[in-house]
């Protein structure tokens, strides 16, 4: 419908307010799941044209990561990947401050959601990803020491996602050791340093 009628139809037909109402409907998981599927499709179809709306969708995605229904959580993950994959450099700059700010939130679910969205940035264009890694990685490392185990696990998973898109073959081979050392420094740092010393960088 939106593809045929154009971007203005989002406003003219009040599609976004309707989807926001659906994603915040606590009584129906089908409404929440449906809204997330719609966001995924809108983002996939419209690409960067959908970016101005992403900042309004973001707080709802953060909440849905901790939804009590598994289908809603799965739909959230898919929508997040679709959104991050289509973000331009400007789009990344637009959403990154909100996500980094949410890492300091008192609610662990919001924090974990933010971590998962930062992990989904692995699906960004490599150029966009590389420009924001210096901001993302140190904060994810900090969150690994969070008091809530689910936040810790989410940050480890996010770092794995980001580590999986590293192109350098020498680093790719020891990513798991680097992540282990970050997660448990006292246990794995020596092994990691040993592997780094033995690595010859050709690329």
């Amino acid at each position: 419908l939106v593809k045929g009628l154009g971007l203005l139809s989002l406003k003219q037909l009040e599609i976004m307010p309707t989807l926001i109402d659906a994603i915040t409907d606590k009584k129906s998981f089908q409404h929440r799941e449906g809204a997330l599927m719609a966001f995924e499709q809108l983002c996939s179809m419209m690409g960067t044209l959908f970016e101005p709306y992403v900042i309004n969708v973001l707080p709802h995605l953060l909440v849905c990561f901790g939804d009590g229904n598994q289908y809603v959580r799965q739909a959230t993950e898919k929508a997040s990947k679709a959104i991050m994959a289509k973000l331009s450099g400007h789009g990344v700059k637009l959403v990154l401050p909100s996500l980094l700010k949410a890492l300091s939130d008192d609610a662990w679910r919001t924090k974990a959601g933010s971590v998962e969205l930062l992990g989904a940035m692995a699906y960004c264009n490599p150029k966009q990803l590389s420009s924001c890694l210096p901001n993302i990685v140190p904060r994810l490392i900090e969150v690994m020491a969070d008091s809530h185990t689910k936040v810790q696990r989410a940050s480890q998973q996010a770092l794995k996602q980001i580590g999986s898109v590293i192109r350098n073959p020498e680093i790719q081979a020891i990513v798991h050791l680097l992540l282990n050392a970050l997660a448990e420094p006292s246990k794995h740092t020596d092994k990691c340093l040993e592997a780094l010393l033995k690595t010859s960088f050709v690329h």
Side-chain angles (χ1 to χ4, degrees), residues 122 126 129-130 133 137 159-176 178-179 201:
L129 179 64
S130 62
L133 280 181
V137 174
L159 284 166
K160 275 182 190 170
Q161 280 177 278
I162 291 168
S164 70
V165 295
I166 292 171
R167 299 282 175 87
N168 183 293
E170 290 89 359
I171 293 292
Q172 184 63 62
I174 58 168
V175 160
H176 66 288
L178 290 166
L179 293 175
F201 291 95

Side-chain angles (χ1 to χ4, degrees), residues 74-196:
Q74 286 167 5
T76 307
E77 199 175 316
K78 287 179 181 177
S80 300
K81 286 178 184 177
I83 287 169
M84 293 305 174
K86 297 291 181 181
L87 283 183
S88 67
H90 175 70
V92 169
K93 286 174 187 170
L94 204 67
V95 302
L96 196 55
S98 301
L99 293 179
L100 293 174
K101 188 181 176 185
L103 289 179
S104 305
D105 200 278
D106 291 333
W108 74 265
R109 286 182 189 277
T110 303
K111 205 181 285 188
S114 176
V115 167
E116 291 192 45
L117 271 168
L118 288 168
M121 281 198 163
Y123 302 96
C124 281
N125 178 296
K127 192 178 176 183
Q128 324 311 356
L129 179 64
S130 62
S131 68
C132 59
L133 280 181
N135 293 319
I136 295 173
V137 174
R139 293 301 306 276
L140 286 176
I141 292 167
E142 278 176 36
V143 180
M144 285 174 94
D146 193 85
S147 57
H148 203 288
T149 53
K150 288 192 177 178
V151 176
Q152 290 173 20
R153 281 202 295 269
S155 61
Q156 287 170 14
Q157 182 58 33
L159 284 166
K160 275 182 190 170
Q161 280 177 278
I162 291 168
S164 70
V165 295
I166 292 171
R167 299 282 175 87
N168 183 293
E170 290 89 359
I171 293 292
Q172 184 63 62
I174 58 168
V175 160
H176 66 288
L177 294 173
L178 290 166
L179 293 175
N180 287 342
L182 289 170
E184 297 180 81
S186 58
K187 202 172 174 183
H188 299 289
T189 300
D190 289 346
K191 194 175 179 182
C192 179
L193 287 173
E194 196 178 320
L196 275 169

Side-chain angles (χ1 to χ4, degrees), residues 18-114:
T18 304
L19 290 175
I20 296 297
D21 284 346
I23 204 172
T24 52
D25 185 348
K26 295 193 187 307
K27 292 178 181 176
S28 171
F29 82 84
Q30 290 97 334
H31 286 178
R32 298 195 300 279
E33 183 188 14
L36 288 159
M37 287 176 171
F39 288 137
E40 180 192 352
Q41 289 306 313
L42 283 168
C43 201
S44 298
M45 269 190 330
M46 299 170 70
T48 52
L49 291 173
F50 191 67
E51 272 185 7
Y53 299 95
V54 168
I55 201 73
N56 296 321
V57 174
L58 211 59
H60 303 294
L61 282 178
L62 290 172
V63 171
C64 287
F65 268 114
D67 197 276
N69 184 279
Q70 65 168 5
Y71 299 112
V72 175
R73 292 196 300 272
Q74 286 167 5
T76 307
E77 199 175 316
K78 287 179 181 177
S80 300
K81 286 178 184 177
I83 287 169
M84 293 305 174
K86 297 291 181 181
L87 283 183
S88 67
H90 175 70
V92 169
K93 286 174 187 170
L94 204 67
V95 302
L96 196 55
S98 301
L99 293 179
L100 293 174
K101 188 181 176 185
L103 289 179
S104 305
D105 200 278
D106 291 333
W108 74 265
R109 286 182 189 277
T110 303
K111 205 181 285 188
S114 176

